Amino acid sequence: MTAVKWLEVHIDTNHTGLEPVETMLSALGIDGVVIDDETEFEDFLENNRQYWDYVDEDLVREKSGAETRIKIYLTQDADGEAQLAALRQRLDTLRAADPEGRYGRLAAEAGTVRQEDWEWGWKQYFKPFPVGTRFIVKPSWEECAPEEGRMVLEIDPASSFGTGSHETTQLCMAALEQAVHGG
């Protein structure tokens, strides 16, 4: 069986360019998008000042120079290549209609992503971790020797649910270790 490959396309714009680019994508039948908006970090800082005393200056510099990026995925086949060509043509048209550059660079870059990397790439970041005073949660693909006084709970999580790392899950596990004894 051949591994499915996808074209991961990044479109660099700015906050003002979001609506025209999203409208253009929708007209091309591309509605599933991931948006990393340049203004979100500034809004987050402004609206949450009560929660910190310090923000790393390097992070502020990095984020303040960032563009808004829209990410889409197209199949890496004749249909996906045709969509990518149409997308680039429409971006050229939009850029020509915006000589002042109000919508940012309107640049599109494409790269290949394998289905397996897309679906399972998160696994490399999921490592064993302690919960409460008696448990260690570990995924089945990781090796982990139990620490003294801890029990290993082995799980096979999915990418969006079931890692045991959510705070409510950990609180429930800690409550169970207090409530359940013996047998």
Side-chain angles (χ1 to χ4, degrees), residues 37 100 127 159 179:
D37 188 351
E100 300 87 24
K127 303 292 183 193
S159 61

Side-chain angles (χ1 to χ4, degrees), residues 33-51:
V33 300
V34 176
I35 298 173
D36 185 11
D37 188 351
E38 63 185 318
T39 62
E40 289 176 353
F41 182 71
E42 293 167 9
D43 290 345
F44 177 79
L45 285 180
E46 189 60 38
N47 295 320
N48 294 287
R49 289 205 182 276
Q50 70 270 23
Y51 297 117

Side-chain angles (χ1 to χ4, degrees), residues 135 169-180:
F135 298 116
T169 304
Q170 291 185 21
L171 286 170
C172 289
M173 291 170 68
L176 281 173
E177 76 182 6
Q178 298 299 318
V180 178

Side-chain angles (χ1 to χ4, degrees), residues 44-135:
F44 177 79
L45 285 180
E46 189 60 38
N47 295 320
N48 294 287
R49 289 205 182 276
Q50 70 270 23
Y51 297 117
W52 60 75
D53 295 327
Y54 172 78
V55 177
D56 186 330
E57 292 173 11
D58 291 336
L59 179 62
V60 172
R61 258 192 308 279
E62 175 188 328
K63 292 294 189 178
S64 66
E67 293 179 288
T68 293
R69 175 168 276 184
I70 300 173
K71 190 184 324 181
I72 62 170
Y73 292 90
L74 305 172
T75 54
Q76 189 177 25
D77 57 13
D79 291 339
E81 294 291 341
Q83 279 185 303
L84 181 57
L87 166 67
R88 286 190 164 136
Q89 181 182 17
R90 298 254 181 121
L91 281 173
D92 288 343
T93 301
L94 188 57
R95 196 177 311 106
D98 181 32
E100 300 87 24
R102 293 170 301 160
Y103 302 149
R105 292 188 313 128
L106 298 173
E109 297 173 16
T112 301
V113 177
R114 294 180 339 180
Q115 180 81 20
E116 296 81 25
D117 295 340
W118 193 16
E119 288 179 346
W120 303 110
W122 60 272
K123 281 184 164 185
Q124 66 183 315
Y125 303 107
F126 184 40
K127 303 292 183 193
F129 61 93
V131 176
T133 58
R134 294 183 35 214
F135 298 116

